[in-house]
């Protein structure tokens, strides 16, 4: 099977929706969702013609599980996740594999300053797991495994109960972000 590669990039402002400008929201959705759709649009016709290949969308657990204080990011990453089953359904008669990779916190510049407070996984670990998942034909990969368990709980219990259980953890992460996140300096230019 043929592999196409691109540098994965994400934008995260770590602010509530009411604190963002329209430009910031548009920038986050463009970088986190539209760029993925555009890349797929460019390569999918050739992949379909060759009847082989893998489409791997890098999403996030934020696109599956509510709780982050970054609605723009979560909505864009949810779009990345839900693109995959849609494409898999539309092209079920092909030999293409479609996978959404949903990592938790990854050691990148996007979370610079928070590494000591959050359990992070390496980009190499995410890439290796993504390739394995695509080869196995999995549509959704959630990393690390504890996030998969959170996702399953979220899907199985009433939303109010889940929010009550996770509210304190979400508030703690929000407080840590407000006090220690330095990656936001990269985004101040986008107003």
């Amino acid at each position: 099977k043929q592999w196409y590669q691109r540098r994965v990039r994400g934008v995260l402002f770590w602010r509530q929706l009411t604190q963002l400008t329209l430009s910031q929201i548009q920038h986050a959705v463009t970088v986190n969702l539209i760029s993925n759709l555009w890349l797929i649009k460019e390569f999918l016709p050739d992949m379909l013609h060759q009847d082989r290949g893998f489409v791997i969308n890098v999403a996030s657990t934020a696109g599956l599980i509510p709780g982050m204080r970054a609605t723009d990011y979560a909505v864009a990453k949810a779009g990345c996740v839900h693109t995959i089953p849609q494409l898999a359904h539309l092209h079920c008669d092909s030999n293409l594999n479609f996978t959404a990779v949903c990592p938790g916190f990854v050691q990148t510049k996007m979370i610079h300053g928070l590494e000591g407070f959050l359990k992070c996984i390496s980009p190499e670990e995410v890439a290796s797991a993504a390739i394995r998942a695509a080869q196995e034909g999995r549509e959704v990969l959630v990393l690390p495994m504890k996030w998969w368990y959170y996702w399953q709980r979220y899907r199985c219990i009433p939303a109010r109960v889940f929010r009550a259980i996770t509210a304190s953890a979400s508030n703690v992460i929000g407080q840590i972000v407000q006090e220690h996140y330095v990656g936001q300096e990269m985004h101040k230019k986008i107003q």
Side-chain angles (χ1 to χ4, degrees), residues 70-95:
T71 304
D72 55 315
Y73 180 80
V75 167
K77 291 303 186 176
C80 289
V81 173
H82 294 287
T83 298
I84 293 302
Q86 180 67 21
L87 290 172
H89 176 75
L90 290 172
H91 304 293
C92 63
D93 58 343
S94 74
N95 287 316

Side-chain angles (χ1 to χ4, degrees), residues 32 36 57-63 73 76-82 100-104:
N32 295 317
N36 284 313
N57 250 3
V58 179
S60 170
T61 54
Y73 180 80
K77 291 303 186 176
C80 289
V81 173
H82 294 287
V101 180
C102 304

Side-chain angles (χ1 to χ4, degrees), residues 22 27 183:
L22 181 57
H27 182 69

Side-chain angles (χ1 to χ4, degrees), residues 20 26 30-31 58 66-67 81 96 104 111 119 134 149 168 187 189:
L20 295 170
Q26 288 172 328
T30 298
V31 170
V58 179
V81 173
L96 273 63
I111 61 161
K119 179 153 175 53
Y149 291 116
S168 62
H187 305 304
K189 296 177 197 166

Side-chain angles (χ1 to χ4, degrees), residues 97-149:
N97 288 349
F98 299 89
T99 304
V101 180
C102 304
F105 298 104
V106 182
Q107 296 164 344
T108 63
K109 291 179 183 177
M110 193 162 67
I111 61 161
H112 183 66
L114 301 175
E115 302 91 333
F117 301 95
L118 304 172
K119 179 153 175 53
C120 300
I121 54 179
S122 73
E124 294 79 15
E125 184 180 351
V126 174
S128 177
I131 291 169
R132 276 194 315 276
Q135 290 171 334
E136 294 167 1
R138 293 175 62 184
E139 281 190 14
V140 178
L141 170 66
V142 181
L143 297 169
M145 196 61 158
K146 73 174 183 178
W147 289 104
W148 184 85
Y149 291 116

